[in-house]
Amino acid sequence: MSTHPVTPTAGNTAPVALRFALIPVHGYGLEGATVARMLDPQGSGQARLLHPGEAVPYGARPVLLAETTVYSATCVEHMIRGWSTGLPRPWLVLISDAPARPAPAARYLFRALGSRLAGTATVPYLPVLRSVESADEALQDKDVKAAAERLRRQMEGR
């Protein structure tokens, strides 16, 4: 996959290829960190959040992270409009911000952008994210574990 080396974890001497380069469309938070851990359950460096302005490493799949709000949909649209044709089409991971469907305007815009994306995956509303301090703590929750498994299946086409 990627030739971009990732620092090995303790006890692991071989570098791990970065598979998923996560790009939050409007800010960093626990949701993004949790999605990174969902895509990299062993914490081996297969998925990580990119720093603002950091280039997508060669061979890594770009993944846009957005909440299911109209504001996020607009941010995704602006990002897609400026997306370089030299990069692979990004995946979009939609993180539900409430236990309800997205607003009609957001659903419409996300659907309209679909042809410019490699795929769209969803993460359901996870109430536990309101009460934990870290992504590692969130991954102890059974609902988060189940959502992580579904997300990996969606992203890997299984």
Side-chain angles (χ1 to χ4, degrees), residues 18-59:
L18 180 64
R19 293 185 64 199
F20 302 105
L22 296 118
I23 306 162
V25 298
H26 67 82
Y28 293 78
L30 182 60
E31 294 85 3
T34 301
V35 169
R37 290 291 286 128
M38 288 173 147
L39 292 172
D40 185 11
Q42 285 76 35
S44 62
Q46 292 184 43
R48 73 174 175 87
L49 291 166
L50 296 183
H51 299 289
E54 182 179 358
V56 175
Y58 181 77

Side-chain angles (χ1 to χ4, degrees), residues 92-154:
L92 175 62
V93 173
L94 294 173
I95 305 163
S96 295
D97 66 316
R101 290 180 54 164
R107 288 195 315 265
Y108 172 79
L109 192 48
F110 287 132
R111 192 170 44 252
L113 295 170
S115 66
R116 304 203 43 205
L117 300 167
T120 301
T122 58
V123 174
Y125 176 68
L126 298 167
V128 72
L129 295 182
R130 297 175 53 85
S131 62
V132 296
E133 294 182 14
S134 70
D136 289 331
E137 187 179 349
L139 282 175
Q140 302 306 310
D141 182 79
K142 67 178 176 55
D143 293 334
V144 175
K145 287 179 186 177
E149 181 59 35
R150 281 191 305 274
L151 177 63
R152 286 191 299 275
R153 278 197 312 267
Q154 286 179 310

